[in-house]
Amino acid sequence: MKYTEMSAEQLKAEQECLSRKLDEYRNMKLCLNMARGKPGVDQLDLSMSMLDVMHSEVDYTDETGFDCRNYGKMDGIPSMKKMFAKMMQVSPEQVMVGGNSSLNMMFDTVAAFMYKSPVEGEKPWMEVKDRKFLCPVPGYDRHFGITEYFGFDMIPIPLNEDGPDMDLVEQLVSQNASVKGIWCIPKYSNPTGITYSDETVRRFARLKPKAKDFRIFWDDAYCIHDLTDTPDSLLSLMDECKKEGSEELPIVFASTSKITFPGSGVAALAAAGKNFDMLMEKYKYQTISFDKLNMLRHAKFFVNFDGVMDHMRKHRELLSPKFDLVVQKLEDSLKETGVISWNKPNGGYFVSVDVMQGTAKKVVQYCKEAGVELTGAGATYPYGKDPRDCNIRIAPSYPPIGELDTAMDVFCVAAKLAAAEKLMEE
Ligand SMILES: Cc1ncc(COP(=O)(O)O)c(C=O)c1O
């Protein structure tokens, strides 16, 4: 029965029953974690043989004969440039393969624009006192952390099923020269799992920003992370920009963090024209070169892009039962309440749940008391403030499936209890 249709007595009975269940969980002294999108141990095991492809007898040169043990090749070895170009839907010469983290490259890119503009006549962002960044919500807390660190006013943009509200994006970008960028996770977005529609990608390519140094930070972290037989497809922003003559709008990012080893994988960015030149120039001062033995290790392990896709199918086999379980539990337990909704993603790392408005913090707290850790309520919004206090990001990948099962039972009880209590107050 829908919670909104329950009488006061029915709600009270429901609340008492849920409260007892939560107490039972509290007494179980659980220690479960659905907080961060980390690959499970079984997923990490998939890449262990990569550690064997490099040994003292191995050919340590890349396909051009370059000795990967030494300094040089600032933009990365050709095989990895090609591999990332396929992943990011750009051409290999636009790719710069970097270190172990794409987030690090995003931070560095914002830092570069803070200090120096690639566009003649534009001030470095540091000198733009009222600088602003558009933040589709719900979104990725660490993106928001970067722009908060660099002193941007962050403007939340509603994220719909087909991408950010493009009417609002176009209006803000075309009218306000202090709007300098937007964070985008175009495929299997973190946390809602949506993929931008073709029309959304085309509208991004057609943007006419007032600020000539406005940039689209296109974080394609989940570009090949499918979970179903009906994967989403994403149009290449770089191709669309080429058609529109706006190739300097996007900077694309990706990494193998959720393909091989997070923190020990390989990251890359792709950019065109002056963007690429400016970033390469900056990296020249920042480092003498990145870890090419790790690039070579990845290249040897995968052999080619088909090898990467085969590997992703193995991840999918391990991950999709976990996502199925989470969605099934939500359907079985929360659908009847009529006040809680969620997404069923075709890929990526998260399930985004909108609990009853005004209860997300309480749900996270109840889960914590019962030994289940979730991403903090509000984390998916700039400054950690969800104005409706309703969005919670569930990360099913890390816990073994048995633990996930129990953690989801706790979550469902907590979400229902908080909703019943809220309705009783009202
Ligand atoms: C959207 C998004 N971008 C970037 C990252 C981090 O990537 P990396 O490990 O390459 O820094 C994550 C990790 O969860 C993510 O969800």
Side-chain angles (χ1 to χ4, degrees):
M1 186 178 189
K2 281 191 180 158
Y3 275 16
T4 46
E5 288 166 6
M6 282 186 181
S7 65
E9 291 73 37
Q10 285 171 318
L11 264 180
K12 187 154 189 336
E14 176 79 353
Q15 183 265 331
E16 283 171 359
C17 170
L18 291 163
S19 199
R20 273 194 303 276
K21 277 195 194 158
L22 190 67
D23 276 341
E24 281 168 29
Y25 287 126
R26 283 189 184 111
N27 291 333
M28 284 165 76
K29 306 270 177 264
L30 300 167
C31 182
L32 309 170
N33 193 315
M34 295 194 292
R36 294 233 69 103
K38 297 198 292 189
V41 173
D42 47 1
Q43 288 180 267
L44 300 175
D45 286 343
L46 294 175
S47 302
M48 282 310 284
S49 59
M50 188 176 71
L51 301 182
D52 302 329
V53 300
M54 298 294 278
H55 48 83
S56 58
E57 306 294 317
V58 86
D59 175 9
Y60 39 77
T61 58
D62 75 2
E63 55 272 56
T64 65
F66 176 83
D67 186 339
C68 289
R69 297 171 304 174
N70 222 325
Y71 283 142
K73 290 258 162 130
M74 262 305 296
D75 55 343
I77 64 173
S79 51
M80 286 308 281
K81 281 173 69 108
K82 271 188 229 147
M83 213 178 274
F84 274 114
K86 287 224 161 123
M87 275 169 65
M88 298 196 278
Q89 307 182 86
V90 298
S91 52
E93 59 279 7
Q94 293 170 328
V95 175
M96 189 211 141
V97 188
N100 66 335
S101 155
S102 60
L103 197 72
N104 190 186
M105 296 183 97
M106 294 175 227
F107 185 98
D108 280 347
T109 303
V110 177
F113 277 81
M114 288 296 286
Y115 192 65
K116 206 174 195 172
S117 180
V119 182
E120 238 181 80
E122 289 290 337
K123 288 186 201 155
W125 291 352
M126 192 165 51
E127 291 175 23
V128 182
K129 293 291 171 244
D130 59 346
R131 55 187 174 272
K132 296 175 180 54
F133 223 86
L134 307 185
C135 300
V137 289
Y140 180 37
D141 52 352
R142 291 184 190 269
H143 283 164
F144 304 152
I146 292 176
T147 29
E148 185 171 5
Y149 179 83
F150 283 110
F152 285 82
D153 291 335
M154 292 184 278
I155 305 179
I157 305 287
L159 184 69
N160 303 321
E161 283 296 304
D162 57 353
D165 176 340
M166 289 308 290
D167 290 340
L168 187 57
V169 170
E170 283 164 357
Q171 185 200 328
L172 290 166
V173 165
S174 63
Q175 292 177 4
N176 194 334
S178 59
V179 173
K180 296 298 183 186
I182 182 167
W183 289 117
C184 292
I185 310 164
K187 193 160 179 194
Y188 303 136
S189 196
N190 174 354
T192 66
I194 64 103
T195 295
Y196 292 11
S197 70
D198 291 358
E199 182 54 14
T200 298
V201 176
R202 291 197 182 102
R203 285 176 79 173
F204 267 111
R206 290 198 296 260
L207 280 179
K208 299 275 175 284
K210 187 146 191 198
K212 297 296 165 237
D213 54 353
F214 171 86
R215 293 294 178 263
I216 303 165
F217 283 64
W218 200 250
D219 179 0
D220 217 355
Y222 301 107
C223 50
I224 52 171
H225 300 58
D226 305 321
L227 287 171
T228 67
D229 290 330
T230 50
D232 296 352
S233 66
L234 174 73
L235 220 52
S236 159
L237 177 62
M238 207 49 114
D239 285 353
E240 292 307 309
C241 285
K242 198 169 178 184
K243 290 180 202 158
E244 299 292 333
S246 60
E247 267 176 299
E248 284 180 15
L249 272 181
I251 303 174
V252 186
F253 301 89
S255 77
T256 70
S257 285
K258 281 156 191 173
I259 299 175
T260 56
F261 300 123
S264 307
V266 183
L269 65 75
K274 289 199 202 87
N275 284 342
F276 190 83
D277 298 344
M278 186 261 249
L279 292 169
M280 284 305 291
E281 162 82 4
K282 177 195 68 88
Y283 275 116
K284 195 172 82 188
Y285 293 99
Q286 195 170 338
T287 180
I288 311 180
S289 67
F290 287 100
D291 181 350
K292 291 168 306 297
L293 286 178
N294 197 27
M295 293 182 205
L296 191 62
R297 182 184 290 126
H298 279 73
K300 283 183 187 290
F301 178 61
F302 289 125
V303 182
N304 53 32
F305 190 64
D306 288 342
V308 182
M309 293 312 285
D310 284 344
H311 193 72
M312 291 315 286
R313 274 186 278 278
K314 294 181 195 155
H315 277 289
R316 177 185 151 186
E317 273 167 31
L318 298 172
L319 274 178
S320 61
K322 293 185 175 179
F323 277 77
D324 290 346
L325 175 88
V326 167
V327 172
Q328 196 58 51
K329 291 259 172 191
L330 294 169
E331 302 244 328
D332 292 347
S333 181
L334 301 184
K335 198 167 188 177
E336 57 176 19
T337 67
V339 291
I340 300 169
S341 59
W342 56 90
N343 68 321
K344 189 176 182 307
N346 276 332
Y349 259 66
F350 304 100
V351 176
S352 172
V353 183
D354 279 343
V355 293
M356 190 172 168
Q357 201 163 321
T359 67
K361 280 203 186 80
K362 202 172 194 183
V363 174
V364 172
Q365 179 58 29
Y366 280 160
C367 284
K368 193 171 176 194
E369 288 164 15
V372 174
E373 200 184 326
L374 295 169
T375 313
T380 52
Y381 282 75
Y383 311 107
K385 287 190 190 129
D386 174 356
R388 296 190 306 136
D389 186 29
C390 75
N391 186 251
I392 297 179
R393 185 182 83 164
I394 292 183
S397 55
Y398 188 69
I401 200 148
E403 289 185 11
L404 187 64
D405 201 322
T406 313
M408 281 308 295
D409 287 340
V410 174
F411 176 79
C412 290
V413 166
K416 288 203 286 193
L417 177 58
E421 285 172 347
K422 179 86 181 161
L423 283 164
M424 284 167 71
E425 278 167 28
E426 285 169 6

